[in-house]
Amino acid sequence: MKKSKRWLCLALLPLLALMAARQEETPHAYIALTFDDSPNAALTERLLDGLASRGAHATFFLIGEQLEGQENLVRRMADEGHQLGNHTYTHLRLDTTGAVGLQEVKKTDARLKEIAGERTYWVRPPWGFASEETLREISAPLIYWSVDSEDWSLRDAGKIARRVTAAAGDGDIVLLHDSYPESVDAALRIVDTLQARGFTFVTVEELFAHMNIEAEAGKLYARPDTLRPPK
Ligand code: NI
């Protein structure tokens, strides 16, 4: 090695050390925000604007009967890289309603296919309730959550954001609702805080891919690596 080159290498060493330290400061972590009871005509658009400007992806679990008139909003979600999921047609619990509940899942799936195209729409059972029997009948993965924002009861953006950012870890699935203005504010604060800590916001599907886990139909996942036993 020529003397000049050696000097160049020596000069680069502190820079490399600095880059390594930076990486340690911001470890690579992935997290999925999920929004239930969506879409909301008054709030979802603001949420999408905020997520887009932050380069964050999320997952929306949609209620079939709320899709009427919101088709463009739903297509915008898909176009901007978000995942669309099924939250039944009228927000029905899937552990006690048998064939009626399953029919609602099918009906919502058909509406989603009409609006946003053919693909597998994953399911979030309302309140997380699903029986073993219903799981067997659903031909898509079902998604529970590993971090509960409790946004529906806290109704305070600061409290919701603090609760989630304190609990958030790599691979977590966070439950939120885009039906409350406080939740939308909280979600954007959560993105800002956790992005500064090195988190990347992905869809649930992307989270499974990053963790190299294949989601299976008829299973209820709290996180890609953790199953939730049906009740
Ligand atoms: Ni719900």
Side-chain angles (χ1 to χ4, degrees), residues 112-125:
L112 287 172
K113 282 175 175 159
E114 278 169 16
I115 296 168
E118 196 69 34
R119 49 156 297 138
T120 303
Y121 292 96
W122 297 11
V123 176
R124 157 83 40 82

Side-chain angles (χ1 to χ4, degrees), residues 142-226:
L142 293 96
I143 302 301
Y144 197 79
W145 53 84
S146 55
V147 175
D148 186 350
S149 71
E150 292 191 5
D151 58 343
W152 58 272
S153 76
L154 291 172
R155 299 296 304 268
D156 177 300
K159 284 182 187 165
I160 298 164
R162 276 193 297 279
R163 183 179 162 86
V164 171
T165 54
D170 188 20
D172 272 323
I173 296 175
V174 181
L175 172 65
L176 286 152
H177 300 79
D178 57 349
S179 29
Y180 308 109
E182 299 88 348
S183 302
V184 172
D185 292 335
L188 299 178
R189 285 192 210 182
I190 291 164
V191 173
D192 289 337
T193 303
L194 294 182
Q195 278 183 338
R197 280 194 218 154
F199 279 82
T200 301
F201 285 81
V202 294
T203 66
V204 174
E205 217 167 16
E206 289 166 342
L207 191 64
F208 274 78
H210 280 297
M211 294 169 81
N212 273 318
I213 295 168
E214 194 160 339
E216 290 176 46
K219 285 192 174 163
L220 182 61
Y221 294 89
R223 299 169 28 114
D225 55 6
T226 312

Side-chain angles (χ1 to χ4, degrees), residues 89-141:
Y89 203 80
T90 64
H91 205 270
L92 209 61
R93 54 191 298 166
L94 293 177
D95 56 337
T96 54
T97 54
V100 178
L102 289 170
Q103 199 47 45
E104 286 221 355
V105 172
K106 280 189 188 147
K107 195 172 166 188
T108 305
D109 188 67
R111 277 297 286 138
L112 287 172
K113 282 175 175 159
E114 278 169 16
I115 296 168
E118 196 69 34
R119 49 156 297 138
T120 303
Y121 292 96
W122 297 11
V123 176
R124 157 83 40 82
W127 301 282
F129 296 149
S131 66
E132 242 169 277
E133 292 69 35
T134 37
L135 290 187
R136 269 201 296 274
E137 298 293 327
I138 291 177
S139 54

Side-chain angles (χ1 to χ4, degrees), residues 18-28 195-199:
L18 190 72
M19 283 166 71
R22 277 258 163 116
Q23 275 204 324
E24 221 167 292
E25 253 175 52
T26 55
H28 231 92
Q195 278 183 338
R197 280 194 218 154
F199 279 82

